[in-house]
PDB file of all heavy atoms in Angstrom:
ATOM      1  N   LYS M 717      75.848 113.294  92.724  1.00 72.00           N
ATOM      2  CA  LYS M 717      76.909 114.049  93.407  1.00 72.00           C
ATOM      3  C   LYS M 717      76.677 113.906  94.835  1.00 72.00           C
ATOM      4  O   LYS M 717      75.556 114.222  95.308  1.00 72.00           O
ATOM      5  CB  LYS M 717      76.872 115.488  92.953  1.00 72.00           C
ATOM      6  CG  LYS M 717      77.286 115.660  91.420  1.00 72.00           C
ATOM      7  CD  LYS M 717      77.315 117.141  91.087  1.00 72.00           C
ATOM      8  CE  LYS M 717      77.672 117.327  89.647  1.00 72.00           C
ATOM      9  NZ  LYS M 717      77.661 118.764  89.214  1.00 72.00           N
ATOM     10  N   THR M 718      77.645 113.502  95.515  1.00 80.00           N
ATOM     11  CA  THR M 718      77.547 113.340  96.978  1.00 80.00           C
ATOM     12  C   THR M 718      77.996 114.607  97.787  1.00 80.00           C
ATOM     13  O   THR M 718      79.156 115.047  97.588  1.00 80.00           O
ATOM     14  CB  THR M 718      78.494 112.175  97.375  1.00 80.00           C
ATOM     15  OG1 THR M 718      78.206 111.015  96.591  1.00 80.00           O
ATOM     16  CG2 THR M 718      78.136 111.743  98.799  1.00 80.00           C
ATOM     17  N   PRO M 719      77.023 115.190  98.642  1.00 90.00           N
ATOM     18  CA  PRO M 719      77.517 116.282  99.466  1.00 90.00           C
ATOM     19  C   PRO M 719      78.550 115.961 100.503  1.00 90.00           C
ATOM     20  O   PRO M 719      78.421 114.927 101.165  1.00 90.00           O
ATOM     21  CB  PRO M 719      76.182 116.741 100.135  1.00 90.00           C
ATOM     22  CG  PRO M 719      75.080 116.015  99.365  1.00 90.00           C
ATOM     23  CD  PRO M 719      75.687 114.766  98.776  1.00 90.00           C
ATOM     24  N   LEU M 720      79.585 116.737 100.550  1.00 93.00           N
ATOM     25  CA  LEU M 720      80.688 116.471 101.481  1.00 93.00           C
ATOM     26  C   LEU M 720      80.206 116.915 102.827  1.00 93.00           C
ATOM     27  O   LEU M 720      79.510 117.896 102.985  1.00 93.00           O
ATOM     28  CB  LEU M 720      81.941 117.229 101.070  1.00 93.00           C
ATOM     29  CG  LEU M 720      82.619 116.770  99.772  1.00 93.00           C
ATOM     30  CD1 LEU M 720      83.804 117.580  99.362  1.00 93.00           C
ATOM     31  CD2 LEU M 720      82.921 115.325  99.798  1.00 93.00           C
ATOM     32  N   ILE M 721      80.803 116.224 103.929  1.00 95.00           N
ATOM     33  CA  ILE M 721      80.638 116.691 105.275  1.00 95.00           C
ATOM     34  C   ILE M 721      82.033 117.346 105.638  1.00 95.00           C
ATOM     35  O   ILE M 721      82.932 116.685 105.997  1.00 95.00           O
ATOM     36  CB  ILE M 721      80.351 115.461 106.228  1.00 95.00           C
ATOM     37  CG1 ILE M 721      79.122 114.671 105.705  1.00 95.00           C
ATOM     38  CG2 ILE M 721      80.156 115.951 107.600  1.00 95.00           C
ATOM     39  CD1 ILE M 721      78.819 113.395 106.368  1.00 95.00           C
ATOM     40  N   TRP M 722      82.031 118.647 105.526  1.00 96.00           N
ATOM     41  CA  TRP M 722      83.299 119.367 105.535  1.00 96.00           C
ATOM     42  C   TRP M 722      84.018 119.191 106.922  1.00 96.00           C
ATOM     43  O   TRP M 722      85.231 119.202 106.976  1.00 96.00           O
ATOM     44  CB  TRP M 722      83.145 120.840 105.214  1.00 96.00           C
ATOM     45  CG  TRP M 722      83.048 120.992 103.710  1.00 96.00           C
ATOM     46  CD1 TRP M 722      81.884 121.194 103.012  1.00 96.00           C
ATOM     47  CD2 TRP M 722      84.186 120.772 102.827  1.00 96.00           C
ATOM     48  NE1 TRP M 722      82.114 121.266 101.655  1.00 96.00           N
ATOM     49  CE2 TRP M 722      83.559 121.046 101.501  1.00 96.00           C
ATOM     50  CE3 TRP M 722      85.400 120.601 102.909  1.00 96.00           C
ATOM     51  CZ2 TRP M 722      84.338 120.964 100.339  1.00 96.00           C
ATOM     52  CZ3 TRP M 722      86.258 120.549 101.740  1.00 96.00           C
ATOM     53  CH2 TRP M 722      85.630 120.741 100.473  1.00 96.00           C
ATOM     54  N   ILE M 723      83.239 119.094 108.026  1.00 96.00           N
ATOM     55  CA  ILE M 723      83.912 118.900 109.294  1.00 96.00           C
ATOM     56  C   ILE M 723      84.706 117.574 109.317  1.00 96.00           C
ATOM     57  O   ILE M 723      85.779 117.405 109.879  1.00 96.00           O
ATOM     58  CB  ILE M 723      82.961 119.122 110.473  1.00 96.00           C
ATOM     59  CG1 ILE M 723      83.721 119.098 111.837  1.00 96.00           C
ATOM     60  CG2 ILE M 723      81.948 117.956 110.432  1.00 96.00           C
ATOM     61  CD1 ILE M 723      82.840 119.422 113.022  1.00 96.00           C
ATOM     62  N   ASN M 724      84.135 116.552 108.720  1.00 96.00           N
ATOM     63  CA  ASN M 724      84.758 115.266 108.622  1.00 96.00           C
ATOM     64  C   ASN M 724      86.032 115.354 107.644  1.00 96.00           C
ATOM     65  O   ASN M 724      87.070 114.775 107.982  1.00 96.00           O
ATOM     66  CB  ASN M 724      83.819 114.184 108.114  1.00 96.00           C
ATOM     67  CG  ASN M 724      82.857 113.799 109.043  1.00 96.00           C
ATOM     68  OD1 ASN M 724      82.746 114.499 110.120  1.00 96.00           O
ATOM     69  ND2 ASN M 724      82.063 112.762 108.816  1.00 96.00           N
ATOM     70  N   VAL M 725      85.871 116.024 106.493  1.00 96.00           N
ATOM     71  CA  VAL M 725      86.908 116.179 105.547  1.00 96.00           C
ATOM     72  C   VAL M 725      88.163 116.840 106.251  1.00 96.00           C
ATOM     73  O   VAL M 725      89.327 116.364 106.160  1.00 96.00           O
ATOM     74  CB  VAL M 725      86.495 116.910 104.365  1.00 96.00           C
ATOM     75  CG1 VAL M 725      87.650 117.202 103.429  1.00 96.00           C
ATOM     76  CG2 VAL M 725      85.428 116.232 103.472  1.00 96.00           C
ATOM     77  N   ILE M 726      87.898 117.960 106.901  1.00 97.00           N
ATOM     78  CA  ILE M 726      88.998 118.691 107.553  1.00 97.00           C
ATOM     79  C   ILE M 726      89.590 117.941 108.681  1.00 97.00           C
ATOM     80  O   ILE M 726      90.768 117.738 108.843  1.00 97.00           O
ATOM     81  CB  ILE M 726      88.481 120.059 108.063  1.00 97.00           C
ATOM     82  CG1 ILE M 726      88.048 120.935 106.786  1.00 97.00           C
ATOM     83  CG2 ILE M 726      89.557 120.767 108.840  1.00 97.00           C
ATOM     84  CD1 ILE M 726      87.284 122.228 107.203  1.00 97.00           C
ATOM     85  N   GLY M 727      88.693 117.259 109.480  1.00 97.00           N
ATOM     86  CA  GLY M 727      89.214 116.464 110.644  1.00 97.00           C
ATOM     87  C   GLY M 727      90.085 115.324 110.151  1.00 97.00           C
ATOM     88  O   GLY M 727      91.192 115.112 110.859  1.00 97.00           O
ATOM     89  N   ILE M 728      89.628 114.573 109.185  1.00 98.00           N
ATOM     90  CA  ILE M 728      90.398 113.404 108.744  1.00 98.00           C
ATOM     91  C   ILE M 728      91.650 113.937 108.113  1.00 98.00           C
ATOM     92  O   ILE M 728      92.744 113.259 108.358  1.00 98.00           O
ATOM     93  CB  ILE M 728      89.521 112.578 107.779  1.00 98.00           C
ATOM     94  CG1 ILE M 728      88.410 111.890 108.452  1.00 98.00           C
ATOM     95  CG2 ILE M 728      90.452 111.576 107.056  1.00 98.00           C
ATOM     96  CD1 ILE M 728      87.362 111.263 107.599  1.00 98.00           C
ATOM     97  N   PHE M 729      91.681 114.943 107.363  1.00 98.00           N
ATOM     98  CA  PHE M 729      92.957 115.557 106.795  1.00 98.00           C
ATOM     99  C   PHE M 729      93.897 115.951 107.822  1.00 98.00           C
ATOM    100  O   PHE M 729      95.109 115.569 107.815  1.00 98.00           O
ATOM    101  CB  PHE M 729      92.582 116.655 105.795  1.00 98.00           C
ATOM    102  CG  PHE M 729      93.788 117.337 105.343  1.00 98.00           C
ATOM    103  CD1 PHE M 729      94.552 116.855 104.284  1.00 98.00           C
ATOM    104  CD2 PHE M 729      94.255 118.596 105.872  1.00 98.00           C
ATOM    105  CE1 PHE M 729      95.733 117.398 103.855  1.00 98.00           C
ATOM    106  CE2 PHE M 729      95.334 119.257 105.458  1.00 98.00           C
ATOM    107  CZ  PHE M 729      96.121 118.650 104.443  1.00 98.00           C
ATOM    108  N   LEU M 730      93.475 116.670 108.818  1.00 98.00           N
ATOM    109  CA  LEU M 730      94.343 117.130 109.791  1.00 98.00           C
ATOM    110  C   LEU M 730      94.992 116.042 110.687  1.00 98.00           C
ATOM    111  O   LEU M 730      96.181 116.079 111.019  1.00 98.00           O
ATOM    112  CB  LEU M 730      93.596 118.219 110.749  1.00 98.00           C
ATOM    113  CG  LEU M 730      93.309 119.492 110.049  1.00 98.00           C
ATOM    114  CD1 LEU M 730      92.486 120.423 111.021  1.00 98.00           C
ATOM    115  CD2 LEU M 730      94.490 120.209 109.617  1.00 98.00           C
ATOM    116  N   ILE M 731      94.194 115.049 111.052  1.00 98.00           N
ATOM    117  CA  ILE M 731      94.727 114.068 111.924  1.00 98.00           C
ATOM    118  C   ILE M 731      95.639 113.141 111.146  1.00 98.00           C
ATOM    119  O   ILE M 731      96.704 112.612 111.659  1.00 98.00           O
ATOM    120  CB  ILE M 731      93.561 113.172 112.499  1.00 98.00           C
ATOM    121  CG1 ILE M 731      94.179 112.467 113.824  1.00 98.00           C
ATOM    122  CG2 ILE M 731      92.950 112.228 111.560  1.00 98.00           C
ATOM    123  CD1 ILE M 731      93.103 111.965 114.684  1.00 98.00           C
ATOM    124  N   HIS M 732      95.534 112.985 109.824  1.00 98.00           N
ATOM    125  CA  HIS M 732      96.468 112.281 109.005  1.00 98.00           C
ATOM    126  C   HIS M 732      97.699 113.069 108.764  1.00 98.00           C
ATOM    127  O   HIS M 732      98.777 112.460 108.836  1.00 98.00           O
ATOM    128  CB  HIS M 732      95.771 111.889 107.605  1.00 98.00           C
ATOM    129  CG  HIS M 732      94.933 110.680 107.724  1.00 98.00           C
ATOM    130  ND1 HIS M 732      93.712 110.596 108.303  1.00 98.00           N
ATOM    131  CD2 HIS M 732      95.242 109.403 107.232  1.00 98.00           C
ATOM    132  CE1 HIS M 732      93.296 109.310 108.182  1.00 98.00           C
ATOM    133  NE2 HIS M 732      94.175 108.633 107.539  1.00 98.00           N
ATOM    134  N   LEU M 733      97.631 114.288 108.633  1.00 98.00           N
ATOM    135  CA  LEU M 733      98.681 115.194 108.456  1.00 98.00           C
ATOM    136  C   LEU M 733      99.595 115.142 109.786  1.00 98.00           C
ATOM    137  O   LEU M 733     100.889 114.984 109.706  1.00 98.00           O
ATOM    138  CB  LEU M 733      98.365 116.580 108.222  1.00 98.00           C
ATOM    139  CG  LEU M 733      99.441 117.620 108.065  1.00 98.00           C
ATOM    140  CD1 LEU M 733     100.458 117.189 106.917  1.00 98.00           C
ATOM    141  CD2 LEU M 733      98.895 119.001 107.789  1.00 98.00           C
ATOM    142  N   THR M 734      99.019 115.215 110.985  1.00 97.00           N
ATOM    143  CA  THR M 734      99.671 115.145 112.245  1.00 97.00           C
ATOM    144  C   THR M 734     100.426 113.777 112.401  1.00 97.00           C
ATOM    145  O   THR M 734     101.571 113.681 112.763  1.00 97.00           O
ATOM    146  CB  THR M 734      98.710 115.313 113.377  1.00 97.00           C
ATOM    147  OG1 THR M 734      97.979 116.580 113.208  1.00 97.00           O
ATOM    148  CG2 THR M 734      99.537 115.345 114.678  1.00 97.00           C
ATOM    149  N   ALA M 735      99.611 112.723 112.051  1.00 97.00           N
ATOM    150  CA  ALA M 735     100.288 111.275 112.107  1.00 97.00           C
ATOM    151  C   ALA M 735     101.468 111.236 111.149  1.00 97.00           C
ATOM    152  O   ALA M 735     102.480 110.661 111.486  1.00 97.00           O
ATOM    153  CB  ALA M 735      99.194 110.267 111.782  1.00 97.00           C
ATOM    154  N   LEU M 736     101.389 111.849 109.920  1.00 97.00           N
ATOM    155  CA  LEU M 736     102.431 111.715 109.011  1.00 97.00           C
ATOM    156  C   LEU M 736     103.712 112.433 109.543  1.00 97.00           C
ATOM    157  O   LEU M 736     104.803 111.933 109.368  1.00 97.00           O
ATOM    158  CB  LEU M 736     102.049 112.373 107.622  1.00 97.00           C
ATOM    159  CG  LEU M 736     103.072 112.321 106.532  1.00 97.00           C
ATOM    160  CD1 LEU M 736     103.477 110.906 106.126  1.00 97.00           C
ATOM    161  CD2 LEU M 736     102.526 113.131 105.359  1.00 97.00           C
ATOM    162  N   ILE M 737     103.496 113.642 110.134  1.00 96.00           N
ATOM    163  CA  ILE M 737     104.608 114.310 110.730  1.00 96.00           C
ATOM    164  C   ILE M 737     105.232 113.495 111.828  1.00 96.00           C
ATOM    165  O   ILE M 737     106.445 113.383 112.004  1.00 96.00           O
ATOM    166  CB  ILE M 737     104.052 115.695 111.276  1.00 96.00           C
ATOM    167  CG1 ILE M 737     103.665 116.597 110.178  1.00 96.00           C
ATOM    168  CG2 ILE M 737     105.160 116.335 112.159  1.00 96.00           C
ATOM    169  CD1 ILE M 737     102.996 117.895 110.657  1.00 96.00           C
ATOM    170  N   GLY M 738     104.396 112.846 112.598  1.00 94.00           N
ATOM    171  CA  GLY M 738     104.839 112.008 113.669  1.00 94.00           C
ATOM    172  C   GLY M 738     105.676 110.800 113.172  1.00 94.00           C
ATOM    173  O   GLY M 738     106.748 110.530 113.670  1.00 94.00           O
ATOM    174  N   PHE M 739     105.266 110.172 112.172  1.00 94.00           N
ATOM    175  CA  PHE M 739     105.943 108.892 111.629  1.00 94.00           C
ATOM    176  C   PHE M 739     107.318 109.431 110.980  1.00 94.00           C
ATOM    177  O   PHE M 739     108.403 108.748 111.190  1.00 94.00           O
ATOM    178  CB  PHE M 739     105.152 108.445 110.375  1.00 94.00           C
ATOM    179  CG  PHE M 739     104.079 107.501 110.779  1.00 94.00           C
ATOM    180  CD1 PHE M 739     102.834 107.715 110.416  1.00 94.00           C
ATOM    181  CD2 PHE M 739     104.308 106.384 111.561  1.00 94.00           C
ATOM    182  CE1 PHE M 739     101.719 106.891 110.779  1.00 94.00           C
ATOM    183  CE2 PHE M 739     103.296 105.550 111.999  1.00 94.00           C
ATOM    184  CZ  PHE M 739     101.971 105.807 111.633  1.00 94.00           C
ATOM    185  N   ILE M 740     107.320 110.589 110.320  1.00 95.00           N
ATOM    186  CA  ILE M 740     108.613 111.057 109.676  1.00 95.00           C
ATOM    187  C   ILE M 740     109.661 111.566 110.747  1.00 95.00           C
ATOM    188  O   ILE M 740     110.837 111.290 110.605  1.00 95.00           O
ATOM    189  CB  ILE M 740     108.273 112.245 108.729  1.00 95.00           C
ATOM    190  CG1 ILE M 740     107.523 111.665 107.533  1.00 95.00           C
ATOM    191  CG2 ILE M 740     109.567 112.855 108.214  1.00 95.00           C
ATOM    192  CD1 ILE M 740     106.968 112.771 106.605  1.00 95.00           C
ATOM    193  N   THR M 741     109.172 112.167 111.854  1.00 94.00           N
ATOM    194  CA  THR M 741     110.097 112.862 112.677  1.00 94.00           C
ATOM    195  C   THR M 741     110.285 111.963 114.084  1.00 94.00           C
ATOM    196  O   THR M 741     111.212 112.317 114.830  1.00 94.00           O
ATOM    197  CB  THR M 741     109.524 114.243 113.227  1.00 94.00           C
ATOM    198  OG1 THR M 741     108.235 114.054 113.812  1.00 94.00           O
ATOM    199  CG2 THR M 741     109.458 115.110 112.000  1.00 94.00           C
ATOM    200  N   PHE M 742     109.541 110.936 114.247  1.00 93.00           N
ATOM    201  CA  PHE M 742     109.719 110.260 115.544  1.00 93.00           C
ATOM    202  C   PHE M 742     111.117 109.545 115.623  1.00 93.00           C
ATOM    203  O   PHE M 742     111.576 108.923 114.723  1.00 93.00           O
ATOM    204  CB  PHE M 742     108.689 109.092 115.629  1.00 93.00           C
ATOM    205  CG  PHE M 742     108.600 108.372 116.919  1.00 93.00           C
ATOM    206  CD1 PHE M 742     108.001 108.855 117.968  1.00 93.00           C
ATOM    207  CD2 PHE M 742     109.245 107.110 117.110  1.00 93.00           C
ATOM    208  CE1 PHE M 742     107.950 108.219 119.210  1.00 93.00           C
ATOM    209  CE2 PHE M 742     109.244 106.466 118.296  1.00 93.00           C
ATOM    210  CZ  PHE M 742     108.548 106.980 119.404  1.00 93.00           C
ATOM    211  N   PRO M 743     111.791 109.788 116.746  1.00 91.00           N
ATOM    212  CA  PRO M 743     113.161 109.280 116.942  1.00 91.00           C
ATOM    213  C   PRO M 743     113.081 107.820 117.456  1.00 91.00           C
ATOM    214  O   PRO M 743     113.279 107.483 118.596  1.00 91.00           O
ATOM    215  CB  PRO M 743     113.764 110.178 118.015  1.00 91.00           C
ATOM    216  CG  PRO M 743     112.625 110.747 118.772  1.00 91.00           C
ATOM    217  CD  PRO M 743     111.464 110.747 117.795  1.00 91.00           C
ATOM    218  N   TYR M 744     112.821 106.852 116.484  1.00 89.00           N
ATOM    219  CA  TYR M 744     112.585 105.522 116.886  1.00 89.00           C
ATOM    220  C   TYR M 744     113.697 104.890 117.796  1.00 89.00           C
ATOM    221  O   TYR M 744     113.419 104.095 118.669  1.00 89.00           O
ATOM    222  CB  TYR M 744     112.390 104.677 115.541  1.00 89.00           C
ATOM    223  CG  TYR M 744     111.152 105.115 114.766  1.00 89.00           C
ATOM    224  CD1 TYR M 744     111.336 106.007 113.692  1.00 89.00           C
ATOM    225  CD2 TYR M 744     109.952 104.558 114.988  1.00 89.00           C
ATOM    226  CE1 TYR M 744     110.240 106.347 113.032  1.00 89.00           C
ATOM    227  CE2 TYR M 744     108.896 104.848 114.278  1.00 89.00           C
ATOM    228  CZ  TYR M 744     108.939 105.816 113.287  1.00 89.00           C
ATOM    229  OH  TYR M 744     107.848 106.179 112.535  1.00 89.00           O
ATOM    230  N   LEU M 745     115.011 105.153 117.381  1.00 85.00           N
ATOM    231  CA  LEU M 745     116.049 104.582 118.170  1.00 85.00           C
ATOM    232  C   LEU M 745     116.185 104.965 119.511  1.00 85.00           C
ATOM    233  O   LEU M 745     116.692 104.220 120.476  1.00 85.00           O
ATOM    234  CB  LEU M 745     117.387 104.784 117.358  1.00 85.00           C
ATOM    235  CG  LEU M 745     117.494 104.155 115.998  1.00 85.00           C
ATOM    236  CD1 LEU M 745     118.877 104.497 115.371  1.00 85.00           C
ATOM    237  CD2 LEU M 745     117.443 102.640 116.092  1.00 85.00           C
TER     238      LEU M 745
END
């Protein structure tokens, strides 16, 4: 069983969530 590094887990999740919001809402045109 691998111990999680929670600060990495949370950081990677949040930055991916932010990027996803950007991809969806960015006014490309």
Side-chain angles (χ1 to χ4, degrees):
K717 293 183 179 180
T718 310
L720 296 176
I721 304 174
W722 281 104
I723 190 171
N724 288 10
V725 173
I726 295 170
I728 291 172
F729 172 77
L730 290 178
I731 200 167
H732 276 75
L733 179 61
T734 304
L736 180 62
I737 293 171
F739 280 123
I740 294 173
T741 61
F742 187 80
Y744 296 93
L745 294 178

